[in-house]
Amino acid sequence: MALHPVIDRVTDRIRQRSAGPRAAYLARVARAAEDGPRRAHLSCSNQAHAYAAMPDKQDFASTGRPNIGIVTAYNDMLSAHQPYEHYPELIRRAAHEADATAQVAGGVPAMCDGVTQGRAGMELSLFSRDVIALAATVAMSHDTYDAAVWLGICDKIVPGLVIAAATAGHVPAVFLPGGPMPSGLPNDEKARVRQEFAAGHVGREALMAAEMASYHAPGTCTFYGTANSNQMLMEFMGLQLPGSSFVNPGTPLREALTMAGVRRAAGITALGPDYTPISAILDERAFVNGIVGLMATGGSTNHVIHLPAMARAAGILLDLQDFHEISAVVPLLARVYPNGLADVNHFHAAGGLGFMIAQLLDAGLLHADVRTIIGPGLDRYRQEPRLVDEAAEWVAGARATLNDRILRPVAAPFAATGGLHMLSGNLGRAVIKVSAVKPELHVIEAPARIFTDQAQVKAAFQAGEFTSDSIVVVRFQGPRANGMPELHTLTPLLSVLLDRGLRVALLTDGRMSGASGKVPAAIHCTPEAAAGGPLAQLRDGDVLRLDAITGTLDCLTPDFANRPAAAADLSANEEGLGRELFALFRANASAADEGASVLF
């Protein structure tokens, strides 16, 4: 199938836009690679320090054998990352079997947005991505690795690791997932209890019981939020083994996939004939494939921020318009909570990413001619792994969906478009995800209610102030104001208002969670209020129009832009839980549509 003309056009536009920075990036990578295996250039003293603790020092000292660096985001507070505790031992064993060695190069922080939702720590969440990238770069700075395996799953962690891996672009990189926890309490039931609690119909004991039944075991949360969207991206972009994203932790197949990933890392170093540095994988085609996957699966809105930051690390410049145009031609093929009732385990069982990639390739919606960690061409990702004699082997993936309520072919999608739209108008640019929003709510015109934090919205809700249609504006929530926290705790409240028959929407320069759902939410509004954006000039009662059909976002009140901008007291965001140390980040962060990063 010929490549779809829109995919072709957008890719070419990205290529032209990125010509300068991409050429500079590739030149840096070439200079780093030209000396051959790095350990050959270490002094005897350098080498002695590097392998003093190695069980078999002579194995490491031989520069003819690959040495694999392990960068890990292990901690046992994140359910998704707890399985990584024993990965280094497994990786070293797999490396030995592949005539290689492996060392833990370093660890990176990994925070849980589920724990910090609505708390001060959430203001560090987005910036933790840049901290992870910096920490992982330090881990790689010892310059003793012929390849690296990257252990990370959740929201900011995979994007931070990709940024670091791309920066060390001459080193081959294989990402090793941990998999989702088994299915627990259905996600729609969890959401129902949350709304019942928000409305005051059930107590905290019932809420706690539902939450504990949902988040109940090691592995990623089973809804399709940012963490599981990360795993999808790594497959679509060719950085993980085919079919490896959604295999549960602690299973024989999960262990076999980890060992297979290590063997592949050992096989693609510059010491052999299949040298595949990550710089050769992460080109404009890989990022377009990632955006296509995001749209086809109804993935997390957080990646409209993360993908531009990841791309910039590889010298590639993405724009909101790219997401918008790709979304318009990529059909929605999956219904996974919050866009449906199924979880990622059900999605995987129905045919999963292998079926979806095959469908999109056959429709000309993906670049097939890419490089991946397992070789040239994305066709290999039509396959899925099976356990044969305790090893992973790949067979042809599902040719038909096994459950069309969860996963559908391109010929009969859930929706004709990916459901992620760019909005623009006199209030700036924003994005909206409508894949779970009822069609009658795709256009909201209503008076504004202005707030400067989540607590104010909750107080107004509890006081019964929301009695008519309104667009709730939560401003001064961008990266320069307070680090751009997720505002996911507002979802149950606004959902209650929708259930009461009110037409409500959210407009913010902050973020929602990857679990954002049925509430129409125009998010990531740029320029942000703290940087002089138009949201700072809004007042209560201004009539706003959010139109996801025409892609417009406007204040209809005449001459609102001539008002002086409101100033927010942000002093409460400047201290506590280490927020003092992030003042430099807040002062220097780029705009959300450029990645909200201090690194680029």
Side-chain angles (χ1 to χ4, degrees):
M1 173 65 71
L3 189 65
H4 191 287
V6 171
I7 302 299
D8 192 23
R9 183 181 72 240
V10 171
T11 305
D12 188 60
R13 185 174 65 214
I14 294 169
R15 185 182 294 113
Q16 293 184 42
R17 183 194 302 139
S18 308
R22 179 64 175 174
Y25 168 76
L26 292 176
R28 291 197 305 272
V29 170
R31 287 194 295 271
E34 64 186 6
D35 291 336
R38 309 303 296 177
R39 281 178 293 131
H41 302 282
L42 295 180
S43 72
C44 293
S45 178
N46 293 149
Q47 291 193 51
H49 279 288
Y51 60 74
M54 295 280 286
D56 191 338
K57 297 177 176 57
Q58 288 306 119
D59 284 353
F60 180 85
S62 169
T63 55
R65 305 179 69 186
N67 186 47
I68 300 170
I70 305 166
V71 182
T72 178
Y74 162 73
N75 67 46
D76 59 10
M77 188 275 295
L78 272 74
S79 63
H81 287 210
Q82 186 271 346
Y84 283 144
E85 180 175 6
H86 301 294
Y87 269 46
E89 179 181 356
L90 181 63
I91 291 167
R92 284 190 285 265
R93 175 157 56 90
H96 180 75
E97 293 176 4
D99 197 29
T101 55
Q103 297 174 295
V104 174
V108 302
M111 65 181 294
C112 180
D113 289 0
V115 175
T116 57
Q117 286 288 348
R119 310 288 299 170
M122 177 53 78
E123 295 177 16
L124 308 185
S125 174
L126 181 55
F127 290 148
S128 76
R129 181 196 64 199
D130 290 4
V131 173
I132 289 162
L134 292 169
T137 300
V138 172
M140 294 298 292
S141 69
H142 296 99
D143 206 17
T144 61
Y145 309 112
D146 301 292
V149 292
W150 302 79
L151 312 185
I153 293 176
C154 287
D155 296 20
K156 315 309 167 300
I157 300 144
V158 166
L161 294 179
V162 170
I163 290 170
T167 303
H170 63 292
V171 180
V174 173
F175 280 69
L176 300 178
M181 67 179 66
S183 301
L185 183 74
N187 284 296
D188 59 324
E189 176 63 14
K190 173 191 67 180
R192 184 194 66 78
V193 175
R194 285 179 175 178
Q195 290 186 38
E196 290 289 292
F197 177 77
H201 297 156
V202 301
R204 185 167 295 277
E205 185 174 317
L207 177 65
M208 189 64 189
E211 298 290 348
M212 291 293 287
S214 299
Y215 308 114
H216 63 97
T220 59
C221 309
T222 60
F223 64 84
Y224 194 55
T226 310
N228 287 317
S229 296
N230 282 338
Q231 303 311 300
M232 175 277 299
L233 282 177
M234 293 301 94
E235 282 203 41
F236 268 77
M237 296 173 72
L239 294 175
Q240 277 180 188
L241 295 176
S244 63
S245 291
F246 303 131
V247 175
N248 301 123
T251 61
L253 181 57
R254 177 82 275 158
E255 180 174 313
L257 286 167
T258 300
M259 297 189 73
V262 177
R263 288 194 294 271
R264 192 57 193 156
I268 57 175
T269 74
L271 297 170
D274 293 330
Y275 177 45
T276 310
I278 190 173
S279 58
I281 294 174
L282 290 182
D283 63 10
E284 63 283 340
R285 296 168 299 173
F287 281 101
V288 167
N289 283 351
I291 296 173
V292 170
L294 188 70
M295 302 309 168
T297 58
S300 169
T301 55
N302 280 326
H303 281 299
V304 183
I305 296 175
H306 294 322
L307 277 165
M310 293 156 63
R312 283 174 182 255
I316 294 169
L317 305 179
L318 300 180
D319 186 80
L320 280 182
Q321 188 67 31
D322 304 327
F323 290 81
H324 181 73
E325 292 183 24
I326 291 173
S327 178
V329 299
V330 174
L332 181 67
L333 303 184
R335 285 287 192 197
V336 187
Y337 187 85
N339 301 329
L341 299 182
D343 65 24
V344 295
N345 293 310
H346 304 137
F347 167 76
H348 185 64
L353 295 179
F355 172 79
M356 179 172 284
I357 288 173
Q359 287 288 310
L360 294 168
L361 281 169
D362 290 343
L365 291 167
L366 286 171
H367 289 279
D369 58 337
V370 293
R371 293 184 72 177
T372 77
I373 60 168
I374 59 169
L378 199 63
D379 272 339
R380 299 162 187 262
Y381 283 77
R382 299 171 183 263
Q383 299 177 310
E384 61 185 21
R386 291 285 186 270
L387 191 68
V388 179
D389 296 329
E390 300 184 350
E393 293 188 5
W394 275 262
V395 300
R399 295 184 178 182
T401 176
L402 301 181
N403 188 331
D404 64 5
R405 293 175 298 174
I406 300 170
L407 185 60
R408 290 188 179 176
V410 167
F414 290 102
T417 69
L420 190 69
H421 303 299
M422 180 179 75
L423 305 175
S424 61
N426 63 14
L427 291 174
R429 294 205 303 176
V431 295
I432 184 170
K433 178 180 175 181
V434 296
S435 50
V437 175
K438 292 180 179 179
E440 59 267 28
L441 296 176
H442 286 189
V443 179
I444 302 287
E445 184 175 311
R449 286 292 311 273
I450 311 298
F451 303 92
T452 57
D453 61 43
Q454 297 180 80
Q456 293 177 354
V457 181
K458 293 177 183 178
F461 176 86
Q462 291 165 356
E465 295 180 14
F466 294 106
T467 57
S468 60
D469 296 350
S470 59
I471 294 183
V472 177
V473 178
V474 187
R475 63 191 181 188
F476 297 102
Q477 300 297 304
R480 292 207 168 194
N482 62 353
M484 205 177 185
E486 288 183 349
L487 307 177
H488 184 44
T489 60
L490 297 181
T491 299
L493 309 184
L494 299 179
S495 297
V496 168
L497 298 181
L498 287 178
D499 291 343
R500 291 175 180 171
L502 300 181
R503 295 175 59 80
V504 297
L506 175 69
L507 170 59
T508 180
D509 48 11
R511 296 184 294 127
M512 287 297 284
S513 167
S516 56
K518 68 180 184 179
V519 178
I523 59 179
H524 310 175
C525 193
T526 56
E528 64 174 287
L535 292 189
Q537 293 165 295
L538 292 178
R539 296 175 183 168
D540 278 330
D542 284 342
V543 178
L544 310 183
R545 182 177 176 86
L546 185 164
D547 190 331
I549 298 173
T550 63
T552 55
L553 179 65
D554 292 295
C555 177
L556 305 183
T557 302
D559 299 324
F560 92 97
N562 296 327
R563 301 171 186 159
D569 179 5
L570 301 175
S571 59
N573 306 112
E574 296 173 357
E575 62 180 36
L577 286 179
R579 285 181 288 180
E580 301 90 337
L581 302 181
F582 283 79
L584 185 66
F585 285 68
R586 292 190 294 272
N588 292 282
S590 62
D593 56 2
E594 296 177 348
S597 175
V598 298
L599 302 178
F600 311 105

